[in-house]
Amino acid sequence: MDLKTAVSVSASGLRAQSLRMRVIAENLANQSSVSQTPGGDPYRRRVATFAAEVDRATGATKVSVKGVATDKSAFQRVYQPGNPAADAKGYVNMPNVNGLVETADLKAAQRSYEANLSAIEAAKGMTMRTIDLLK
């Protein structure tokens, strides 16, 4: 695998993990966002989805973003009769975002991002050593 292919594969991973971290940050920012209308649906957790894609030009397998899907899990209902978002029975639908899960996902995304950066640095270093040997 040449330097260009190695960097392009790692760069696709960097783009994917960057998107994943942005989606997780959005989830964390909205984990307490309730509906603007009584009994309405609050913020729904979003999840980035990826797929392996073969680059026809190089034959390398890259990461492509399939999209950002919404999590269909149920909302948590909390009894808060004084809340403007409460339904007729006094319950408020809370977002289906679990801060602990999001934090763990964020840490995994950061590690993957760092691994892709390390792969780019390793490929660059090997190329530089090869050039030095050829001098």
Side-chain angles (χ1 to χ4, degrees), residues 16-37:
Q17 295 307 323
S18 177
L19 171 72
R20 184 176 170 201
M21 286 187 280
R22 283 194 307 269
V23 170
I24 291 169
E26 180 182 323
N27 289 340
L28 286 169
N30 288 297
Q31 70 181 343
S32 299
S33 299
V34 295
S35 173
Q36 298 295 320
T37 60

Side-chain angles (χ1 to χ4, degrees), residues 62-74:
K62 295 182 176 183
V63 179
S64 67
V65 177
K66 282 179 53 177
V68 178
T70 56
D71 184 354
K72 301 295 182 192
S73 63

Side-chain angles (χ1 to χ4, degrees), residues 26-93:
E26 180 182 323
N27 289 340
L28 286 169
N30 288 297
Q31 70 181 343
S32 299
S33 299
V34 295
S35 173
Q36 298 295 320
T37 60
D41 286 343
Y43 175 82
R44 188 171 287 277
R45 179 178 185 252
R46 296 172 35 153
V47 181
T49 56
F50 308 107
E53 181 180 280
V54 176
D55 183 5
R56 295 181 194 265
T58 62
T61 304
K62 295 182 176 183
V63 179
S64 67
V65 177
K66 282 179 53 177
V68 178
T70 56
D71 184 354
K72 301 295 182 192
S73 63
F75 297 121
Q76 181 183 1
R77 292 176 49 89
V78 177
Y79 185 69
Q80 293 180 347
N83 192 319
D87 61 11
K89 295 180 181 179
Y91 286 94
V92 177
N93 285 333

